[in-house]
Amino acid sequence: MLWNLLARNARDLPGHPAFVGNAETLTWADLAERATATACGLIRLGVGPGDALGLVLSNGPGFVITFLAASRIGAIAVPLSADLHAAELRSHLTRSRCRVAVLEASLAETAGALLSEGTLEHVLLDGAEQSSGLSLSALTGSPGALQAIAVPDSDSPLTRLLTSGTTGRPKCVQRTHAQVSFLADSYRNTVGITRQDRILAAVPLCHGHGFCSGFLATLSAGATLFAEPRFQRRPTLQLLESERITIFSAVPFLFSLLADTNMPRQPDLRSVRLCVSGAGALKREIWHKVRDRLGLEIRQSYGSVETGALTVNLDQNLEATCESVGTPLQGVEISIRHGGTPQGEEGAAGHVYARTPAAGESLEVESRSVCDPEGWIPMHDLGT
């Protein structure tokens, strides 16, 4: 349970930094206090167990606080990109069944339109202290209201994520507390993340890669998460050096951009012990360019919205295997099937199937499970 992880970190690591971003540092005690206050405020707005809450937020404390607050009251967090066009946002909010949402303050005009047309009943604006909208930071409620709501059980829905829609209309995939907690612990244990790690997520926390390797990994380990609202090449390199980042998550294109960045001097990135790439195939030429110019060796991961993270490449001889997505995370199984069966010669390409306790359910198909009767999920990818 994510709320239990937050409570544990606030108890055991109260003064340890949990989140750094937007010129703000929150300790685990701060984060627990803010999330509790936000949970009480959401209750006052009428948000409760089973209600979908849209999070249209860039990387920042508002995302972390609101997601955790939703997890405490049994609401279903629906992370959405703050870069969506108004029509896309309207469609996604409707399909994920949101009636209340938290939006970036820069989207105040869009928020007003969503309210006036009836798409949403309530809108909170993050960073809206100077606007006429209802501010997330000013949201309060009676502390007693929280005591009346039990912590959700493990089978309760926690989040809904939208697929990219690259092979059709995006699907809305729902995961329970137990499924997300498994994903958090599986990734942390496999990669070996500890509370001493300082994690920089250069990818949106609302997307699967950033959600797992950034938000969930930090929460599970009691580490420190650094996240900037927008990716910028030079500030990112400076942050990696100045904050002694130990784990860095990005996508191949961003790694390539960083390697091509002109800097007055070569940044000292020796603190970075792990670079994880996801959400796209990592080409050998990018791997070599990043290693040669920045001294960083990228490890590729693999997964999907339906399954969460599945594999990561932790091979000792990384140069020889840099294009591989590695081996399964703890508790995850992968099968390469040839003609519908797992038999085949080693090295022969086949269809990838995965089995994981983190697999979610689609809200929009007759057979809601994305798995076959034995729990295997067709990934629609080829692998060896």
Side-chain angles (χ1 to χ4, degrees):
M1 304 292 288
L2 297 194
W3 187 263
N4 293 341
L5 292 176
L6 174 62
R8 178 206 66 188
N9 294 340
R11 180 192 68 236
D12 298 343
L13 306 165
H16 189 70
F19 183 90
V20 182
N22 285 15
E24 183 176 16
T25 297
L26 296 176
T27 65
W28 284 109
D30 295 333
L31 189 55
E33 181 180 354
R34 294 272 292 274
T36 299
T38 301
C40 294
L42 290 172
I43 293 171
R44 183 170 62 84
L45 282 183
V47 180
D51 292 329
L53 175 67
L55 275 62
V56 191
L57 300 166
S58 59
N59 290 358
F63 178 93
V64 177
I65 291 166
T66 311
F67 196 102
L68 290 170
S71 78
R72 170 59 184 88
I73 63 175
I76 305 170
V78 183
L80 296 168
S81 172
D83 294 327
L84 289 171
H85 296 299
E88 293 177 302
L89 179 57
R90 183 181 298 107
S91 173
H92 290 344
L93 288 169
T94 299
R95 294 179 63 204
S96 54
R97 306 172 191 175
C98 293
R99 301 300 295 168
V100 181
V102 184
L103 276 69
E104 293 278 312
S106 60
L107 299 175
E109 184 175 340
T110 300
L114 293 170
L115 283 171
S116 63
E117 70 194 21
T119 300
L120 294 174
E121 295 175 2
H122 296 287
V123 170
L124 298 163
L125 295 177
D126 186 26
E129 288 77 9
Q130 304 304 317
S131 80
S132 58
L134 180 58
S135 169
L136 175 65
S137 62
L139 189 65
T140 59
S142 169
L146 194 60
Q147 304 306 316
I149 296 183
V151 175
D153 63 43
S154 60
D155 292 328
S156 297
L158 170 62
T159 187
R160 289 174 184 159
L161 299 172
L162 287 161
T163 65
S164 63
T166 52
T167 58
R169 292 184 66 202
K171 296 192 293 289
C172 190
V173 178
Q174 182 167 281
R175 277 209 189 87
T176 66
H177 285 256
Q179 289 163 344
V180 174
S181 295
F182 168 85
L183 180 59
D185 292 342
S186 173
Y187 188 87
R188 171 182 59 83
N189 290 333
T190 302
V191 174
I193 302 171
T194 73
R195 63 182 59 175
Q196 282 75 42
D197 277 310
R198 299 162 70 80
I199 302 172
L200 174 59
V203 285
L205 299 178
C206 65
H207 293 162
H209 181 35
F211 181 68
C212 177
S213 64
F215 174 55
L216 292 183
T218 300
L219 185 63
S220 180
T224 303
L225 176 63
F226 293 76
E228 295 299 314
R230 295 288 183 271
F231 172 81
Q232 300 178 77
R233 293 188 292 174
R234 289 183 182 84
T236 296
L237 287 170
Q238 292 166 354
L239 189 63
L240 285 167
E241 178 181 43
S242 64
E243 295 294 346
R244 304 182 308 284
I245 299 299
T246 61
I247 298 177
F248 179 43
S249 299
V251 297
F253 177 66
L254 297 187
F255 279 116
S256 183
L257 284 179
L258 290 175
D260 289 335
T261 303
N262 292 320
M263 296 288 286
R265 62 174 180 82
Q266 180 76 6
D268 182 356
L269 305 181
R270 287 176 294 178
S271 65
V272 182
R273 68 175 183 86
L274 186 69
C275 285
V276 183
S277 177
L282 176 65
K283 301 299 183 183
R284 183 172 295 274
E285 54 266 29
I286 293 178
W287 189 91
H288 278 282
K289 181 171 67 172
V290 172
R291 186 196 62 175
D292 295 344
R293 298 182 184 179
L294 297 176
L296 300 176
E297 294 191 339
I298 308 171
R299 298 182 179 275
Q300 188 167 198
S301 63
Y302 171 69
S304 71
V305 172
E306 291 89 347
T307 63
L310 293 169
T311 72
V312 64
N313 186 351
L314 300 177
D315 196 87
Q316 294 284 331
N317 185 10
L318 191 55
E319 183 171 7
T321 64
C322 62
E323 290 184 296
S324 169
V325 297
T327 52
L329 302 181
Q330 182 183 86
V332 173
E333 297 172 88
I334 296 290
S335 173
I336 306 297
R337 300 190 178 184
H338 309 265
T341 67
Q343 284 74 35
E345 294 183 7
E346 183 177 348
H351 293 278
V352 180
Y353 282 71
R355 187 157 62 182
T356 169
E361 293 185 340
S362 173
L363 296 183
E364 299 168 305
V365 292
E366 290 183 10
S367 177
R368 290 188 170 186
S369 176
V370 297
C371 311
D372 70 13
E374 296 182 346
W376 289 100
I377 302 162
M379 299 302 296
H380 305 292
D381 288 323
L382 292 176
T384 56

